[in-house]
């Protein structure tokens, strides 16, 4: 059936003359046009007075310029740029001070309000409420960045037999030399990310088991905490044990390195500060928790140590204190997830267990609680991105998910699933682009979630090409 709109002809006495549809009243477009028979309103002949637009004649002389610019912009938005034609400076100032009506020449009132026009394919970057960016002087626009796409599946999966399903342990850590350490039962294995080579570092014996691993900042030495309360120090490059340090009565579930200090947290409720240059097993003992210490992190400037415990407390210590300098008791479950921001000094994030489910942010410089986000499930780990102001959290009961957040809005950028047990372990690659997660389902999964540093032009050595599923031992 023929469209009745296309039957209009110039011979119809009710049809406007063809000169009213001439190109002089069309908006020129530099982009490709699409011709169609749609009626698109053209308000060239609209009466401005009906819209109660501000009249600069009634305004004070000092506000003429600002009102004139605003009126021009508003009329262009309402009626289209073809209805607003600025005069040349010579014409506009030939008669002294000009008003808005002088500066704006409106198209002849006898043109159609509704007429056939051509559709113009607009730029995707034109997101302002005014659709005529190129014709508005003084208005600059930059292209809108497309949202970053985060892959929803891991690019690599490692089988990790005997990876314990224990919330209070810390069995995965990634060194600055791109080597992943994993504690499996009573052994520690090293996975070299650049070559996918697996090396067995140590065996603590059949009567003991690995409860925590932690790389030094330089990535050459690995500390291994055991169930018997011992802390072993290993030279990873030579696969040689350097020394064994004692002091704890129960298992060592948390390890944190500063520049020269090695801290260990235990089920015996204490934290031991160890100087590896000293012959003594430890130089000081920190007492403040009333239950097992399960989270331990030094700040990036090595001045503050944050500890979390099964007593639902988050404590902050300085380099020389034996008592906490800050105490935070807002969490209602064990605090294992702790992360210092690499972007803002003194910004600390913490996550609570099953009964709490919240991520909280603290400013340790001002001793203030900044915000709280209820995640809906047990918070097992937190890690900040080194490259952008984002962080990732891993969760247990009941959804076993991984969430990427934008800070400080705490909007979700991605929710990743795949683990069938609680995601208890988390570490970040040295380039800051990749994370590895571990769970009681005895798998390690590698995800590309963060962008590369601005100064980095080469791809990561972690090897997104090495896809598939392999074994870590």
């Amino acid at each position: 059936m023929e469209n009745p709109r296309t039957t209009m002809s110039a011979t119809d006495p009710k049809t406007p003359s063809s000169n009213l549809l001439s190109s002089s009243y069309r908006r020129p477009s530099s982009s490709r046009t699409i011709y169609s028979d749609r009626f698109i309103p053209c308000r060239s002949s609209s009466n401005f007075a009906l819209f109660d637009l501000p009249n600069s004649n009634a305004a004070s002389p000092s506000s003429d310029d600002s009102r004139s610019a605003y009126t021009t912009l508003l009329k262009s938005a309402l009626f289209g740029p073809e209805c607003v034609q600025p005069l040349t400076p010579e014409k506009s100032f030939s008669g002294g001070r000009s008003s808005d009506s002088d500066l704006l020449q409106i198209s002849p009132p006898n043109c159609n309000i509704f007429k056939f026009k051509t559709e113009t394919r607009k730029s995707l970057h034109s997101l302002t409420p005014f659709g005529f960016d190129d014709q508005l002087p003084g208005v600059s626009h930059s292209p809108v960045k497309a949202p970053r796409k985060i892959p929803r599946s891991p690019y690599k999966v490692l089988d990790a037999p005997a990876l314990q399903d224990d919330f209070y342990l810390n069995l995965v850590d990634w060194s600055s030399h791109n080597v992943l350490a994993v504690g499996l039962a009573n052994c520690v294995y090293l996975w070299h990310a650049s070559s996918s080579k697996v090396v067995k570092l140590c065996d603590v014996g059949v009567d003991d088991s690995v409860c925590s691993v932690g790389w030094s900042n330089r990535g050459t030495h690995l500390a291994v905490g055991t169930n018997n309360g011992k802390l072993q120090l290993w030279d990873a490059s030579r696969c040689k044990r350097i020394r064994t340090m004692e002091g704890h009565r129960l298992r060592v579930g948390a390890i944190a390195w500063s520049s020269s200090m090695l801290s260990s947290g235990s089920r015996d409720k204490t934290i031991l500060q160890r100087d590896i240059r000293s012959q003594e097993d430890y130089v000081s003992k920190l007492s403040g928790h009333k239950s097992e210490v399960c989270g331990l992190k030094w700040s990036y400037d090595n001045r503050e140590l944050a500890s979390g415990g099964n007593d639902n407390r988050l404590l902050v210590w300085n380099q020389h204190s034996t008592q906490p300098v800050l105490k935070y008791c807002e969490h209602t479950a064990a605090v294992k997830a702790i992360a210092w921001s690499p972007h803002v000094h003194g910004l600390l994030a913490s996550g609570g267990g099953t009964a709490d489910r919240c991520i909280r942010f603290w400013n340790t410089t001002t001793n203030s609680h900044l915000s709280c986000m209820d995640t809906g499930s047990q918070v097992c780990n937190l890690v900040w991105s080194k490259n952008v102001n984002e962080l990732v959290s891993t969760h247990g009961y009941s959804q076993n998910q991984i969430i990427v957040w934008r800070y400080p809005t705490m909007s979700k950028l991605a929710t990743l699933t795949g683990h069938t047990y609680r995601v208890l372990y988390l570490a970040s690659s040295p380039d800051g682009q990749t994370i590895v997660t571990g769970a009681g389902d005895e798998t390690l999964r590698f995800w590309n979630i963060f962008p590369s540093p601005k100064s980095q032009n080469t791809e990561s050595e972690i090897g997104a090409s090495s896809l598939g599923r392999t074994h870590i031992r």
Side-chain angles (χ1 to χ4, degrees):
M1 180 177 179
E2 187 178 5
N3 193 327
R5 294 178 181 175
T6 60
T7 61
M8 294 179 64
S9 63
T11 59
D12 190 341
K14 296 183 181 180
T15 304
S17 60
S18 59
N19 63 337
L20 294 180
L21 302 179
S22 63
S23 60
S24 61
Y25 294 103
R26 291 197 183 100
R27 177 191 171 196
S29 173
S30 59
S31 60
R32 186 173 65 89
T33 58
I34 303 174
Y35 293 92
S36 70
D37 61 350
R38 291 178 55 226
F39 274 115
I40 299 178
C42 177
R43 301 182 176 87
S44 303
S45 60
S46 299
N47 186 357
F48 289 163
L50 297 177
F51 294 87
D52 195 25
L53 294 178
N55 187 357
S56 62
N57 293 331
S60 62
S62 61
S63 62
D64 280 353
D65 293 339
S66 60
R67 281 184 173 275
S68 174
Y70 171 75
T71 303
T72 303
L73 193 64
L74 184 58
K75 289 180 179 180
S76 296
L78 291 175
F79 307 110
E82 67 269 20
C83 298
V84 181
Q85 302 172 356
L87 291 175
T88 61
E90 292 78 7
K91 292 180 180 180
S92 61
F93 290 101
S94 59
R97 176 172 289 275
S98 58
S99 64
D100 289 348
S101 58
D102 299 327
L103 291 175
L104 301 176
Q105 280 189 338
I106 310 305
S107 298
N110 60 342
C111 66
N112 284 345
I113 292 182
F114 296 100
K115 66 181 181 181
F116 282 111
K117 295 183 67 178
T118 58
E119 288 185 1
T120 303
R121 195 178 296 277
K122 296 182 63 177
S123 168
L124 293 177
H125 302 314
S126 178
L127 300 179
T128 64
F130 311 107
F132 317 101
D133 302 340
D134 298 336
Q135 300 191 12
L136 294 181
V139 180
S140 62
H141 303 282
S142 58
V144 177
K145 262 190 174 182
R148 188 174 83 251
K149 292 184 178 180
I150 300 176
R152 293 304 196 268
S153 57
Y155 70 83
K156 188 176 186 65
V157 179
L158 290 178
D159 285 322
L163 185 61
Q164 296 188 60
D165 183 27
D166 193 326
F167 177 80
Y168 300 99
L169 306 186
N170 293 274
L171 297 174
V172 177
D173 198 20
W174 208 327
S175 79
S176 57
H177 286 182
N178 210 10
V179 179
L180 187 71
V182 184
L184 300 177
N186 55 353
C187 299
V188 175
Y189 293 86
L190 304 180
W191 181 75
H192 295 261
S194 57
S195 63
S196 295
K197 181 182 178 181
V198 178
V199 176
K200 181 179 178 180
L201 177 67
C202 67
D203 187 330
V204 298
V206 294
D207 297 330
D208 206 351
S209 62
V210 178
C211 295
S212 56
V213 294
W215 286 102
S216 64
N217 294 340
R218 294 182 178 180
T220 55
H221 293 81
L222 180 71
V224 179
T226 72
N227 190 62
N228 291 341
K230 296 180 180 180
L231 188 66
Q232 298 182 3
L233 188 60
W234 287 78
D235 183 338
S237 60
R238 297 184 296 166
C239 291
K240 181 180 179 180
R241 185 173 64 186
I242 299 174
R243 62 185 295 188
T244 299
M245 294 170 281
E246 299 184 354
H248 289 297
R249 295 179 290 104
L250 300 172
R251 72 180 183 185
V252 180
I255 295 173
W257 287 83
S258 70
S259 54
S260 61
M261 198 74 68
L262 173 59
S263 306
S264 59
S266 171
R267 183 180 266 183
D268 64 12
K269 311 172 188 177
T270 66
I271 300 169
L272 297 183
Q273 302 280 54
R274 310 171 189 269
D275 189 336
I276 60 175
R277 301 167 298 185
S278 172
Q279 294 183 353
E280 302 294 329
D281 282 339
Y282 61 92
V283 294
S284 63
K285 179 183 290 188
L286 311 184
S287 300
H289 285 285
K290 298 180 179 179
S291 187
E292 179 172 9
V293 179
C294 52
L296 212 54
K297 285 290 190 302
W298 278 97
S299 61
Y300 281 86
D301 59 6
N302 295 320
R303 293 184 178 181
E304 294 179 301
L305 174 68
S307 64
N310 199 29
D311 55 1
N312 310 343
R313 290 186 174 189
L314 174 67
L315 306 181
V316 179
W317 320 73
N318 63 29
Q319 293 171 302
H320 310 291
S321 65
T322 56
Q323 294 295 320
V325 293
L326 298 174
K327 296 181 181 180
Y328 300 119
C329 304
E330 280 79 356
H331 284 292
T332 57
V335 182
K336 178 194 177 186
I338 300 173
W340 291 93
S341 170
H343 311 291
V344 180
H345 176 73
L347 176 57
L348 176 64
S350 61
T354 307
D356 183 78
R357 308 184 307 270
C358 292
I359 299 175
R360 296 180 182 270
F361 295 91
W362 318 85
N363 186 333
T364 61
T365 304
T366 60
N367 189 21
S368 57
H369 181 206
L370 300 177
S371 61
C372 175
M373 168 62 67
D374 188 341
T375 66
S377 57
Q378 178 188 43
V379 184
C380 300
N381 292 281
L382 289 169
V383 165
W384 288 88
S385 168
K386 302 173 184 177
N387 308 327
V388 289
N389 202 15
E390 299 171 4
L391 70 161
V392 59
S393 60
T394 67
H395 300 268
Y397 303 125
S398 58
Q399 301 178 44
N400 305 326
Q401 79 274 42
I402 303 160
I403 303 177
V404 184
W405 308 87
R406 176 179 285 116
Y407 187 82
T409 61
M410 290 305 286
S411 56
K412 290 184 181 181
L413 298 178
T415 299
L416 312 176
T417 57
H419 285 290
T420 56
Y421 280 65
R422 297 179 295 173
V423 189
L424 298 176
Y425 310 111
L426 172 66
S428 176
S429 64
D431 64 7
Q433 299 181 65
T434 302
I435 63 167
V436 59
T437 57
D441 57 13
E442 299 185 345
T443 64
L444 297 172
R445 298 171 185 262
F446 295 79
W447 316 77
N448 282 322
I449 61 170
F450 292 128
S452 62
K454 293 181 181 179
S455 59
Q456 181 172 325
N457 297 321
T458 58
E459 292 185 358
S460 168
E461 292 182 355
I462 295 165
S465 60
S466 55
L467 302 175
R469 186 164 183 151
T470 56
H471 297 267
I472 199 169
R473 71 172 186 181

